[in-house]
Amino acid sequence: MNMHAPRPIPHYHEIAQECALFETAHSQGLPLLLKGPTGCGKTRFVEHMAARLDRPLYTVACHDDLSAADLIGRYLLKGGDTHWVDGPLTRAVREGGICYLDEVVEARKDVTVVLHPLTDNRRTLMIDRTGEELVAPPGFMLVASYNPGYQNVLKRLKPSTRQRFLSASFDFPDPQSECAIVAKESGLDVSKVQPLVRLAGHIRALSGMDLEEGVSTRLLIYTASLIHRGMPIEPALEAAIIEPLTDEEDIKQALRDLIATIY
Ligand code: ADP
């Protein structure tokens, strides 16, 4: 008899049959790269799929100091003894879990060297420090994400790395899906979410011109949550949309003008 309570599956509103792609990639042992702007649902998607497939999930937010040792593990000193501690990638491989490397282009170059033998048919992880060579069991899957909008020439995923992954592009959901997502996540009534999503459409049309990036679904959920908890619309928009998007006074004013055409 299974005494474990069933693991809750985080809510995810599917946009374009990405769940079937993930499932197939997982069953075939293929790695998956998710491309798209921040706050559009990539992390939630991976959390949802890991729970659905009942696999442990190890998420690593990559940064420019993240090295292969941070992923693989290291010897730690404890009470005069050194002992080996697995990093999140090693744990995912041992347990047949899913390892999600968020913003993988940020990581140091030595990380790529580790990923290559894991993402081709060898599916092996070399742990140089212990001399171990782990072959990933069938449940293991590597998922990585990156935001093409942030890319610069120095931080680009090399074709030799990119071409080891199946890839899927994520973007902000269509308005109807986004209304459903924001309403569900914030608790705010759909009728009050609709103008927010319309505003997001206008703001996203400005991105690239005055704004580095359009407003994310995440920020819309923040705004809707503030309104749902009783904050008037104007300060909610100021705190959850205008201020997070820009530091420039003239752009803030342009956003307020845009808001005035909707509210
Ligand atoms: P990313 O990883 O792309 O930066 P997240 O997955 O953290 O973005 O998404 C931000 C938030 O937006 C999530 O916490 C979730 O509340 C919501 N969200 C975005 N897209 C979806 C979706 N398709 N279904 C359910 N929630 C979503």
Side-chain angles (χ1 to χ4, degrees), residues 67-78 80-94 114 125-134:
S67 66
D70 294 319
L71 291 179
I72 294 178
R74 48 171 54 92
Y75 283 107
L76 291 183
L77 197 62
K78 199 176 171 192
D81 287 336
T82 53
H83 67 286
W84 174 259
V85 179
D86 283 342
L89 181 62
T90 306
R91 255 181 275 159
V93 172
R94 285 197 208 280
V114 174
L125 178 67
M126 302 289 303
I127 310 181
D128 290 342
R129 305 293 299 275
T130 62
E132 249 186 308
E133 187 178 325
L134 299 178

Coordinates of all heavy atoms in Angstrom, one line a residue, residues 67-78 80-94 114 125-134:
S67 N 29.6 27.5 -11.3 CA 30.6 26.6 -12.0 C 30.1 25.2 -12.0 O 29.1 24.8 -11.4 CB 31.9 26.7 -11.2 OG 31.7 26.1 -9.9
A68 N 30.9 24.3 -12.7 CA 30.5 22.9 -12.8 C 30.5 22.3 -11.4 O 29.6 21.5 -11.2 CB 31.6 22.2 -13.7
A69 N 31.4 22.7 -10.5 CA 31.4 22.1 -9.2 C 30.1 22.4 -8.4 O 29.6 21.6 -7.7 CB 32.6 22.6 -8.4
D70 N 29.5 23.6 -8.7 CA 28.3 23.9 -8.0 C 27.2 22.9 -8.4 O 26.2 22.7 -7.7 CB 27.8 25.3 -8.4 CG 28.7 26.4 -7.8 OD1 29.2 26.2 -6.7 OD2 29.0 27.4 -8.5
L71 N 27.3 22.5 -9.7 CA 26.2 21.5 -10.2 C 26.5 20.1 -9.8 O 25.7 19.3 -9.5 CB 26.1 21.6 -11.7 CG 25.6 22.9 -12.3 CD1 25.6 22.8 -13.8 CD2 24.2 23.1 -11.8
I72 N 27.8 19.7 -9.8 CA 28.2 18.3 -9.6 C 28.4 18.0 -8.2 O 27.9 16.9 -7.7 CB 29.5 18.0 -10.4 CG1 29.2 18.2 -11.9 CG2 30.0 16.7 -10.1 CD1 30.4 18.0 -12.8
G73 N 29.0 18.9 -7.4 CA 29.3 18.6 -6.0 C 30.7 18.9 -5.6 O 31.5 19.2 -6.5
R74 N 31.0 18.8 -4.3 CA 32.4 19.0 -3.9 C 32.6 18.4 -2.5 O 31.7 17.9 -1.9 CB 32.6 20.6 -3.8 CG 31.5 21.3 -3.0 CD 31.9 22.8 -2.8 NE 32.3 23.5 -4.0 CZ 31.5 24.2 -4.8 NH1 30.2 24.3 -4.4 NH2 32.0 24.8 -5.8
Y75 N 33.9 18.3 -2.2 CA 34.3 17.8 -0.9 C 34.1 18.9 0.1 O 34.6 20.0 -0.1 CB 35.7 17.3 -0.9 CG 35.9 16.0 -1.6 CD1 36.5 15.9 -2.9 CD2 35.5 14.8 -1.0 CE1 36.6 14.6 -3.5 CE2 35.6 13.5 -1.6 CZ 36.2 13.5 -2.8 OH 36.3 12.3 -3.4
L76 N 33.5 18.6 1.2 CA 33.3 19.5 2.3 C 34.0 19.0 3.5 O 34.1 17.8 3.8 CB 31.8 19.8 2.6 CG 31.0 20.5 1.5 CD1 29.6 20.7 2.0 CD2 31.6 21.8 1.1
L77 N 34.5 20.0 4.3 CA 35.2 19.7 5.5 C 34.2 19.7 6.7 O 33.5 20.7 6.8 CB 36.3 20.7 5.7 CG 37.4 20.4 6.7 CD1 38.2 19.2 6.2 CD2 38.3 21.6 6.8
K78 N 34.2 18.6 7.4 CA 33.2 18.6 8.5 C 33.9 17.8 9.7 O 34.2 16.6 9.6 CB 31.9 17.8 8.1 CG 30.8 18.2 9.1 CD 29.5 17.5 8.5 CE 28.4 17.6 9.5 NZ 27.3 16.8 9.2
G80 N 36.9 17.9 10.8 CA 38.2 17.4 10.5 C 38.2 16.4 9.4 O 39.3 16.0 8.9
D81 N 37.0 15.9 9.0 CA 37.0 15.0 7.9 C 36.4 15.6 6.6 O 35.6 16.6 6.7 CB 35.9 13.8 8.2 CG 36.5 12.9 9.2 OD1 37.7 12.8 9.3 OD2 35.7 12.3 10.0
T82 N 36.9 15.1 5.5 CA 36.3 15.6 4.3 C 35.3 14.6 3.8 O 35.6 13.4 3.8 CB 37.3 15.9 3.1 OG1 38.1 14.7 3.0 CG2 38.2 17.1 3.4
H83 N 34.2 15.0 3.3 CA 33.3 14.1 2.7 C 32.6 14.7 1.5 O 32.5 15.9 1.4 CB 32.2 13.5 3.7 CG 31.3 14.6 4.1 ND1 31.6 15.5 5.1 CD2 30.0 14.8 3.8 CE1 30.6 16.3 5.3 NE2 29.6 15.9 4.5
W84 N 32.3 13.9 0.5 CA 31.7 14.3 -0.7 C 30.2 14.7 -0.6 O 29.5 13.9 0.0 CB 31.9 13.2 -1.8 CG 31.2 13.5 -3.1 CD1 30.0 13.1 -3.5 CD2 31.7 14.4 -4.1 NE1 29.8 13.7 -4.8 CE2 30.8 14.5 -5.1 CE3 32.9 15.2 -4.2 CZ2 31.0 15.3 -6.3 CZ3 33.1 16.0 -5.3 CH2 32.1 16.0 -6.3
V85 N 29.8 15.8 -1.2 CA 28.4 16.2 -1.2 C 28.0 16.4 -2.6 O 28.6 17.2 -3.3 CB 28.2 17.5 -0.4 CG1 26.7 17.9 -0.4 CG2 28.6 17.3 1.1
D86 N 27.0 15.6 -3.0 CA 26.5 15.8 -4.4 C 25.9 17.1 -4.6 O 25.1 17.7 -3.8 CB 25.3 14.7 -4.6 CG 25.8 13.3 -4.9 OD1 27.0 13.2 -5.2 OD2 25.0 12.4 -4.8
G87 N 26.1 17.7 -5.8 CA 25.4 18.9 -6.2 C 24.0 18.5 -6.8 O 23.7 17.3 -7.0
P88 N 23.2 19.5 -7.2 CA 21.9 19.3 -7.7 C 21.8 18.4 -9.0 O 20.9 17.6 -9.1 CB 21.3 20.7 -7.9 CG 22.4 21.6 -7.9 CD 23.5 21.0 -7.1
L89 N 22.8 18.6 -9.8 CA 22.8 17.9 -11.1 C 23.0 16.4 -10.8 O 22.4 15.5 -11.3 CB 23.8 18.4 -12.1 CG 23.9 17.7 -13.4 CD1 22.6 17.8 -14.2 CD2 25.0 18.3 -14.3
T90 N 24.0 16.1 -10.0 CA 24.4 14.7 -9.6 C 23.2 14.1 -8.9 O 22.9 12.9 -9.2 CB 25.6 14.7 -8.7 OG1 26.6 15.5 -9.3 CG2 26.1 13.3 -8.4
R91 N 22.5 14.8 -8.0 CA 21.4 14.2 -7.3 C 20.3 13.8 -8.3 O 19.7 12.8 -8.2 CB 20.9 15.2 -6.3 CG 21.3 14.7 -4.9 CD 20.7 15.6 -3.8 NE 21.6 16.8 -3.7 CZ 21.3 17.9 -3.1 NH1 20.1 18.2 -2.8 NH2 22.2 18.8 -3.0
A92 N 20.1 14.7 -9.3 CA 19.0 14.5 -10.3 C 19.4 13.2 -11.1 O 18.5 12.4 -11.4 CB 18.8 15.7 -11.2
V93 N 20.7 13.1 -11.4 CA 21.1 11.9 -12.2 C 20.9 10.7 -11.4 O 20.3 9.7 -11.8 CB 22.5 12.1 -12.7 CG1 23.0 10.8 -13.3 CG2 22.7 13.2 -13.7
R94 N 21.4 10.7 -10.1 CA 21.3 9.5 -9.3 C 19.8 9.0 -9.1 O 19.5 7.9 -9.1 CB 21.9 9.7 -7.9 CG 23.4 9.8 -7.9 CD 23.9 9.6 -6.5 NE 25.2 10.3 -6.3 CZ 26.4 9.7 -6.6 NH1 26.4 8.5 -7.2 NH2 27.5 10.4 -6.4
V114 N 30.4 19.8 -18.9 CA 29.7 18.8 -18.2 C 28.4 18.4 -18.9 O 28.0 17.2 -18.8 CB 29.3 19.4 -16.8 CG1 28.5 18.4 -16.0 CG2 30.6 19.7 -16.0
L125 N 27.4 11.4 -16.6 CA 28.0 12.5 -15.9 C 29.3 12.0 -15.3 O 29.4 11.0 -14.6 CB 27.0 12.8 -14.7 CG 27.4 14.0 -13.8 CD1 27.5 15.3 -14.6 CD2 26.5 14.1 -12.6
M126 N 30.3 12.8 -15.7 CA 31.7 12.5 -15.2 C 31.9 13.3 -13.9 O 31.8 14.5 -13.9 CB 32.7 12.9 -16.2 CG 32.6 12.3 -17.5 SD 33.0 10.5 -17.5 CE 34.7 10.6 -16.8
I127 N 32.2 12.6 -12.8 CA 32.6 13.3 -11.6 C 34.1 13.1 -11.4 O 34.6 12.1 -10.8 CB 31.8 12.8 -10.4 CG1 30.3 12.7 -10.7 CG2 32.1 13.7 -9.1 CD1 29.4 12.2 -9.6
D128 N 34.8 14.1 -12.0 CA 36.3 14.0 -12.0 C 36.9 13.8 -10.6 O 37.8 13.0 -10.4 CB 36.9 15.2 -12.6 CG 36.6 15.3 -14.1 OD1 36.3 14.2 -14.7 OD2 36.7 16.4 -14.7
R129 N 36.3 14.6 -9.6 CA 36.9 14.6 -8.3 C 36.8 13.2 -7.6 O 37.7 12.9 -6.8 CB 36.2 15.6 -7.4 CG 36.2 17.0 -8.0 CD 37.6 17.6 -8.0 NE 38.3 17.8 -6.7 CZ 38.1 18.8 -5.9 NH1 37.3 19.8 -6.3 NH2 38.7 18.8 -4.8
T130 N 35.8 12.4 -7.9 CA 35.7 11.1 -7.2 C 36.0 10.0 -8.2 O 36.0 8.8 -7.8 CB 34.2 10.9 -6.7 OG1 33.3 10.9 -7.8 CG2 33.8 12.0 -5.7
G131 N 36.2 10.3 -9.4 CA 36.4 9.3 -10.4 C 35.2 8.5 -10.9 O 35.3 7.5 -11.6
E132 N 34.0 9.0 -10.4 CA 32.8 8.3 -10.7 C 32.3 8.6 -12.1 O 32.4 9.8 -12.5 CB 31.7 8.7 -9.7 CG 31.3 7.6 -8.8 CD 30.1 8.0 -7.9 OE1 30.2 9.1 -7.3 OE2 29.1 7.3 -7.9
E133 N 31.7 7.7 -12.8 CA 31.0 8.0 -14.1 C 29.6 7.5 -14.0 O 29.4 6.3 -13.9 CB 31.8 7.3 -15.2 CG 31.3 7.7 -16.6 CD 32.1 7.1 -17.7 OE1 33.4 6.9 -17.5 OE2 31.5 6.8 -18.7
L134 N 28.7 8.4 -13.9 CA 27.3 8.0 -13.7 C 26.6 7.9 -15.0 O 26.6 8.9 -15.8 CB 26.5 8.9 -12.8 CG 27.0 9.2 -11.4 CD1 26.2 10.2 -10.7 CD2 27.0 7.9 -10.6

